Amino acid sequence: DTEVTQTPKHLVMGMTNKKSLKCEQHMGHRAMYWYKQKAKKPPELMFVYSYEKLSINESVPSRFSPECPNSSLLNLHLHALQPEDSALYLCASSLGGAGYEQYFGPGTRLTVT
Amino acid sequence: GQQVMQIPQYQHVQEGEDFTTYCNSSTTLSNIQWYKQRPGGHPVFLIQLVKSGEVKKQKRLTFQFGEAKKNSSLHITATQTTDVGTYFCAGPWMKTSYDKVIFGPGTSLSVIP
């Protein structure tokens, strides 16, 4: 199974809402990633978890809060977002390190109103 | 700082024509990866190159890694409509962490039937 799943596929939320994005992989990968992608732009790294520990935070605003409950799951908690946070949020996993290919999930299309 | 650039940004070709995208890094890379993202889709890993001067083929796609390991190219022979999408190269971020990959801005390919 080489699939990364993400839920929900689409999300519309107000600026005062709290919501969570979920990501799951069952490939035994030790690294999991959150990316933000705007239209016609490359994926922009937000967070990396390695062995369930946060290893990279790309100076992401605190209104985005990642969580890795176990080696297969990755969450992104959202609170008090801004309209400019509207984007495609991609989860990815890899065996670990920049020397391994990343498997991306289908993404969550987020709209902040 | 470290940069990964790609040219061209956009390419429109007639079906059956060849296509090439070029990737250039400001620093020497230990490896380079290529991903394809279809419109409305998510990035999908195509290939990884590791050795200086390496050439790999996947059917109509030919990938090259430069001798200095600072540039790479993807060549598609006789394009088909199924080749439509954005092609990203990606290399390891050398400065802070083993886990981070930096994506080039991508080349968007349109194929006119």
Side-chain angles (χ1 to χ4, degrees), chain B residues 38-55:
Chain B
R38 293 179 188 267
H42 58 277
V44 175
F45 173 79
L46 293 176
I47 210 159
Q48 175 169 278
L49 304 170
V50 178
K51 298 177 184 176
S52 169
E54 189 170 14
V55 178

Side-chain angles (χ1 to χ4, degrees), chain A residues 1-6 9 23-29 32 72 91-93 102-106, chain B residues 42:
Chain A
D1 182 8
T2 58
E3 190 180 23
V4 175
T5 58
Q6 288 187 246
K9 287 188 177 181
C23 173
E24 190 167 5
Q25 58 90 11
H26 294 287
M27 294 177 277
H29 288 172
M32 295 187 76
S72 299
C91 173
S93 71
Q102 295 187 28
Y103 292 83
F104 283 83
Chain B
H42 58 277

Side-chain angles (χ1 to χ4, degrees), chain A residues 15-112:
Chain A
M15 290 189 282
T16 58
N17 292 159
K18 284 185 181 181
K19 297 286 185 183
S20 296
L21 309 184
K22 296 185 183 302
C23 173
E24 190 167 5
Q25 58 90 11
H26 294 287
M27 294 177 277
H29 288 172
R30 70 99 170 145
M32 295 187 76
Y33 308 77
W34 280 116
Y35 288 90
K36 174 182 177 180
Q37 187 178 31
K38 291 278 204 178
K40 301 189 187 302
K41 297 290 186 183
E44 178 185 342
L45 184 65
M46 300 174 72
F47 304 102
V48 180
Y49 274 83
S50 177
Y51 293 109
E52 301 169 47
K53 291 192 183 332
L54 185 64
S55 65
I56 298 178
N57 177 341
E58 292 288 282
S59 302
V60 178
S62 59
R63 57 185 184 269
F64 295 91
S65 175
E67 179 195 20
C68 189
N70 60 55
S71 60
S72 299
L73 293 173
L74 189 64
N75 297 323
L76 186 63
H77 304 296
L78 315 173
H79 173 56
L81 295 191
Q82 304 296 310
E84 59 264 28
D85 296 321
S86 299
L88 180 67
Y89 287 85
L90 293 160
C91 173
S93 71
S94 78
L95 276 170
Y100 295 94
E101 65 266 32
Q102 295 187 28
Y103 292 83
F104 283 83
T108 294
R109 178 73 61 186
L110 173 67
T111 303
V112 182

Side-chain angles (χ1 to χ4, degrees), chain B residues 3-16:
Chain B
Q3 288 189 333
V4 175
M5 303 304 295
Q6 281 183 256
I7 54 170
Q9 188 176 0
Y10 300 98
Q11 185 81 59
H12 306 277
V13 300
Q14 203 75 34
E15 189 172 17

Side-chain angles (χ1 to χ4, degrees), chain B residues 70-84:
Chain B
K70 294 181 74 173
N71 56 73
S72 181
S73 65
L74 158 58
H75 179 82
I76 302 178
T77 303
T79 53
Q80 300 175 0
T81 54
T82 53
D83 297 323
V84 166

